């Protein structure tokens, strides 16, 4: 598309939808990331509907949010337990749950997806919601590694589609990568940027390139730590200690891999390897593949590189 045509397309598509002030958010996926985003959005006065595939998962997510809020309150309201309890009650009132995304997107300003890292599944979800969500609703994905452009291609709202990439644990991590594709309108991008700020986060602008900024640097680093261990050049414990004490990182690469989820890490590296097979930074790891094949995904399953109670 020529520069001129591109500008016209942007102008036309964005004229229909001016800056949307995001107040009502539908978050799809109540796992680690979705529940964390829901907590932060509800804590900052947004109305949130959290969607997942079963009531059991949603109950677990709601419990997790409440538990996390209790930890926040312990610190923030140390001298005022009643005010703390009131805060939790108020935040929880901002969160409702559903197993039917299509039924709850009416009236939502933003659909933010944090489901399994699988392109076809994400495309299927958004294609369905595109038909029922209001015209002004912006769609965003929290994907760690998939091109936002590819996810958005399943919808007819390319100008109202972007990336909002949060970090784990969401309540603690201050960064949000706000991703614009070549079709994302300036208005939609600004709405996503302002929403990130309203959550109390610091946004950075990213292009729709693999891994955006943080993961493009972090994933090759973690993979190289595994390869270093595979070559027998250091134990995982020593590598973790070395990077914490020598580089000042809060977690070593193996601790971080277990925290992120080895399944997620493998998914990312598999995708990048398929995209650019000759790139040594994107090479496979037999050790990672074996752990994932054994269902050892890290902290969330009780075992990864380390064991957890
Ligand atoms: N874990 C991280 O550190 C991290 C960081 C940033 C971004 N991400 C990205 O966030 C997304 C979610 O990651 P996570 O770690 O929270 O995963 P998770 O496995 O903890 O949670 C995913 C949730 O999505 C639900 N789900 C799956 N398909 C669904 C569907 N069609 N409709 C509704 N719910 C559905 C699952 O039941 C599960 O509860 C992924 O795209 C991942 O790449 C993860």
């Amino acid at each position: 598309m020529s520069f001129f045509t591109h500008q016209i397309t942007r102008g036309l598509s964005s004229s229909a939808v001016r800056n949307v002030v995001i107040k009502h958010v539908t978050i799809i996926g109540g796992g680690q990331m979705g529940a964390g985003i829901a907590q932060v959005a509800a804590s900052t006065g947004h109305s949130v509907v959290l969607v997942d595939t079963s009531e059991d998962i949603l109950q677990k997510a709601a419990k997790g949010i409440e538990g996390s809020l209790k930890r926040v309150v312990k610190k923030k309201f140390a001298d005022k337990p009643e005010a703390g309890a009131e805060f939790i009650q108020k935040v929880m009132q901002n969160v409702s749950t559903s197993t039917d995304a299509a039924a709850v997107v009416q009236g939502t300003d933003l659909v933010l997806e944090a489901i399994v890292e699988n392109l076809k599944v994400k495309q299927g979800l958004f294609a369905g919601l595109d038909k029922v969500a209001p015209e002004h609703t912006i769609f965003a994905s929290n994907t760690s590694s998939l091109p936002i452009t590819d996810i958005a291609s399943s919808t007819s709202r390319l100008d109202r589609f972007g990336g909002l990439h949060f970090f784990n644990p969401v309540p603690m991590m201050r960064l949000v990568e706000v991703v614009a594709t070549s079709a994302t309108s300036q208005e939609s991008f600004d709405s996503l940027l302002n929403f990130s700020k309203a959550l109390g986060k610091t946004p950075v602008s990213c292009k729709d390139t693999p891994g955006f900024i943080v993961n493009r640097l972090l994933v090759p680093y973690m993979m190289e730590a595994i390869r270093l261990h595979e070559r027998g050049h250091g134990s995982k414990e020593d590598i973790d200690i070395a990077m914490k004490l020598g580089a000042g990182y809060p977690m070593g690469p193996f601790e971080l891999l277990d925290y992120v989820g080895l399944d997620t890490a493998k998914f990312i590296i598999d995708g990048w390897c398929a995209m650019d097979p000759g790139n040594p930074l994107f090479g496979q790891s037999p050790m990672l593949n074996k752990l994932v094949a054994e269902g050892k995904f890290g902290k969330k399953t009780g075992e990864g590189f380390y064991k957890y109670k």
Side-chain angles (χ1 to χ4, degrees), residues 16 31 39 52 75 83 129 153 180 198 200 241-242 275-276 283 291-292:
Q39 179 187 328
D52 210 301
K75 279 189 201 155
L129 295 181
S153 69
I241 290 170
M275 190 184 65
D276 187 3
L291 286 168
V292 172

Side-chain angles (χ1 to χ4, degrees), residues 21-266:
V21 178
I22 296 167
K23 287 283 173 205
H24 185 295
V25 192
T26 302
I27 298 171
I28 320 279
Q32 294 190 85
M33 297 305 293
I37 300 165
Q39 179 187 328
V40 173
S43 300
T44 47
H46 297 84
S47 157
V48 178
V49 184
L50 187 60
V51 177
D52 210 301
T53 49
S54 79
E55 291 295 346
D56 277 0
I57 297 174
L58 287 167
Q59 261 182 27
K60 202 175 147 207
K63 256 192 174 168
I65 293 173
E66 203 163 353
S68 173
L69 285 170
K70 280 182 183 158
R71 288 191 291 279
V72 172
V73 156
K74 242 186 183 175
K75 279 189 201 155
K76 269 197 169 172
F77 296 87
D79 307 328
K80 300 178 205 149
E82 298 86 30
E86 205 178 302
F87 173 74
I88 293 177
Q89 199 189 2
K90 224 171 152 187
V91 173
M92 291 310 288
Q93 274 169 2
N94 287 341
V95 185
S96 59
T97 60
S98 173
T99 53
D100 187 353
V104 295
V105 292
Q106 287 307 323
T108 201
D109 303 314
L110 171 68
V111 173
L112 176 51
E113 165 275 314
I115 67 169
V116 60
E117 187 76 337
N118 179 301
L119 180 61
K120 286 268 170 294
V121 180
K122 287 185 196 284
Q123 284 177 329
L125 173 80
F126 278 120
L129 295 181
D130 189 37
K131 295 190 180 81
V132 288
E135 191 67 15
H136 80 281
T137 305
I138 299 172
F139 285 2
S141 173
N142 183 49
T143 179
S144 297
S145 65
L146 301 169
I148 301 293
T149 304
D150 290 358
I151 305 172
S153 69
S154 65
T155 73
S156 61
R157 58 183 79 209
L158 303 186
D159 58 321
R160 282 151 287 152
F161 207 118
L164 272 183
H165 187 227
F166 289 81
F167 293 82
N168 195 12
V170 181
M172 307 259 300
M173 301 300 279
R174 291 165 52 206
L175 184 70
V176 180
E177 291 178 325
V178 184
V179 186
T181 71
S182 59
T184 308
S185 72
Q186 192 60 50
E187 285 83 358
S188 300
F189 184 76
D190 290 345
S191 294
L192 294 174
L193 209 68
N194 289 335
F195 173 64
S196 308
K197 288 180 190 164
L199 298 183
K201 303 293 183 194
T202 301
V204 290
S205 306
C206 295
K207 299 285 178 211
D208 189 20
T209 54
F212 314 126
I213 296 174
V214 173
N215 281 341
R216 181 61 183 78
L217 297 174
L218 198 57
V219 173
Y221 150 74
M222 294 193 295
M223 291 304 295
E224 189 54 20
I226 306 175
R227 287 186 212 107
L228 195 138
H229 178 46
E230 281 173 335
R231 292 195 295 268
H233 294 173
S235 70
K236 52 186 191 275
E237 291 83 2
D238 277 351
I239 295 169
D240 277 348
I241 290 170
M243 293 313 291
K244 284 190 283 187
L245 302 190
Y249 289 7
M251 294 172 112
F254 293 96
E255 291 168 331
L256 187 55
L257 277 158
D258 274 359
Y259 196 77
V260 168
L262 304 192
D263 51 338
T264 303
K266 176 170 161 52

Side-chain angles (χ1 to χ4, degrees), residues 13-26:
S13 54
S14 59
S15 65
V17 180
R18 291 280 161 220
N19 275 15
V20 172
V21 178
I22 296 167
K23 287 283 173 205
H24 185 295
V25 192
T26 302

